[in-house]
DNA sequence: ACAAAAGTGTTCGAAGTACACCCATGT
DNA sequence: ACATGGGTGTACTTCGAACACTTTTGT
């Protein structure tokens, strides 16, 4: 038993909410559930759940582990298959009519090929991919609209640092696919020629590497790339300041 | 009374911890308190406290308000005098030996002139400015060393976007002072000539504006600048994509 | 053959870096 | 007068945007 006790103040309930992003038909999409119970019954909401807190002083799960658990429950995806990170905490009084809750929002970036199998999580009544462009943020349950809005700002800011973009393409991808990630996130077209030169820089920097095979894509076959495994950096990378991936 | 109740699961205690940064003698510094009580008695820690949660379902304070309240209690500074923002939530089991706690970390950037008067908060046993360069992160209480490390990464990333740097200089400042903020945060010297051209761009973008007076600084008097009040943007700013300030 | 997509080259401007240099002032 | 810091100019480079252009495939 610990030698000192936490003061006996009122505690909020703590939940973890997930912002699971992927690309569906080239459009940035977010996994939402339709609530089957009040409050906000019938409204769309972020998947999530309560943080597991052990009975004793030390038990329970870390926030990151709670996010990974929720992700697995809702989508069947393991944390190795996605890019996971924390967005922040939200706790305005009144955000949940049932009582005081704090939520810690996590984002998860899912490759589109892995996203195909995501359906009917055990926890959620009905999980679906919603295109971000079509989403009415004000219609979401709780304060989830505001959380999604913040996540989109972070995502758009950090997709250019390549880390986030690489998390949203299949393991091997074409230049077009990676470009479409940027286009989907930012919502506007990019010059294919300029983007290819950016790809070449990513190769120079050791972030991605070309594969031997090409892929038939309807017309002329395209070269493919894959994310470089860490450690296999080129000399030019070592000289540059490392491009930190940062949060989402 | 609400029509539905939160499930009766165990709840963690929720605290708000403050990372109060300023420049002391040109060195990036952080406000720390020496703990007077166990656990970690005698060790340095971030100032902070428990989130106020109302007895009913709706009462209590928002996370931002808790951060502002802690800041006021520890430093006497109001939220209008500082730049305040959330860093994130930390909740590893075992981070507090007394029991399960989640902390939401906030940063506050304090202008050096305002930091002069910060001393002996009502809450803290003994508050002091610690130079970040001299700090032994592993010696801090709880998991505060890791939190500080994360904050420094964010601060270094975002000081270049000008928003953070302007929060760490007096209301009117010289080019040298703003440059020293960048140097203090990044830990290396910058070319004064190039930095001056960056200043000129900040003027063009309407972020800062020159004042009429100059300041005697030992040798040749220096021109002074101030942060431009929002709304007084130049034409060039309106055309550009707005440079979001982002978190810390 | 032709359309569509892959891929290359060119030009321009914005902005970072390095460095030479002039200017104004307190001692 | 002169050292010190304030302030300007110049050359080089990187990188994004715009766009003309060639190459390679399927139909």
């Amino acid at each position: 038993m610990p030698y000192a006790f936490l003061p006996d103040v009122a505690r909020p309930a703590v939940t973890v909410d997930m912002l699971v992003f992927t690309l569906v038909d080239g459009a940035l999409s977010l996994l939402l559930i339709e609530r089957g119970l009040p409050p906000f019954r019938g409204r769309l909401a972020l998947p999530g759940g309560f943080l597991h807190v052990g009975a004793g002083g030390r038990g329970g799960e870390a926030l990151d582990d709670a996010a990974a658990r929720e992700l697995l429950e809702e989508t069947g995806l393991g944390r190795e298959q996605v890019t996971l990170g924390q967005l922040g905490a939200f706790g305005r009084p009144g955000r949940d009519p049932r009582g005081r809750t704090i939520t810690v929002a996590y984002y998860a970036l899912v490759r589109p090929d892995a996203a195909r199998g995501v359906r009917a999580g055990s926890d959620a009544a009905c999980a679906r991919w919603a295109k971000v462009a079509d989403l009415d943020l004000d219609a979401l349950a709780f304060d989830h609209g505001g959380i999604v809005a913040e996540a989109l700002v972070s995502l758009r800011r950090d997709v250019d640092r390549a880390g986030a973009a690489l998390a949203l393409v299949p393991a091997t991808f074409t230049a077009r696919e990676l470009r479409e990630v940027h286009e989907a996130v930012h919502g506007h077209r990019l010059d294919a020629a300029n983007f290819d030169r950016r790809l070449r820089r990513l190769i120079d920097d050791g972030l991605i590497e070309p594969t031997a095979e090409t892929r038939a894509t309807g017309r002329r076959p395209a070269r493919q790339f894959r994310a470089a495994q860490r450690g296999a950096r080129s000399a030019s990378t070592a000289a540059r300041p490392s491009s930190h991936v940062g949060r989402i």
Side-chain angles (χ1 to χ4, degrees), chain A residues 9 11 13 27 33 35 40 52 54 61 73 84-85 94 105 111 141 144 155 158 167 183 189 214-215 218 225 238:
Chain A
V9 296
R11 300 178 173 194
I33 62 166
R35 288 186 59 82
F40 299 104
H52 288 184
E61 60 190 349
E73 289 178 4
L84 204 61
R111 320 196 113 86
H144 290 181
L155 183 60
D158 293 333
E183 292 176 343
R189 314 293 292 178
T214 59
R215 184 190 304 181
F225 307 88

Side-chain angles (χ1 to χ4, degrees), chain A residues 18-23 28-31 71 75 77-87 106-115 118 129 151-152 154-156 158-170 181 185 245-248:
Chain A
M18 298 299 302
L19 294 121
V20 188
F21 286 105
T22 196
L23 261 64
L28 184 67
S29 302
L30 179 67
L31 191 72
L71 181 73
T75 69
L77 295 168
R79 71 193 308 169
E80 294 78 18
Q81 303 178 68
V82 306
T83 297
L84 204 61
Q86 190 190 114
L87 182 67
Y106 276 79
Y107 64 85
L109 306 182
V110 182
R111 320 196 113 86
D113 48 339
V118 172
W129 293 110
L152 289 175
S154 290
L155 183 60
R156 294 199 173 104
D158 293 333
V159 74
D160 298 323
R161 308 216 170 253
L166 289 178
L168 286 170
V169 286
V181 171
V185 170
V245 173
R247 53 178 60 204
I248 185 171

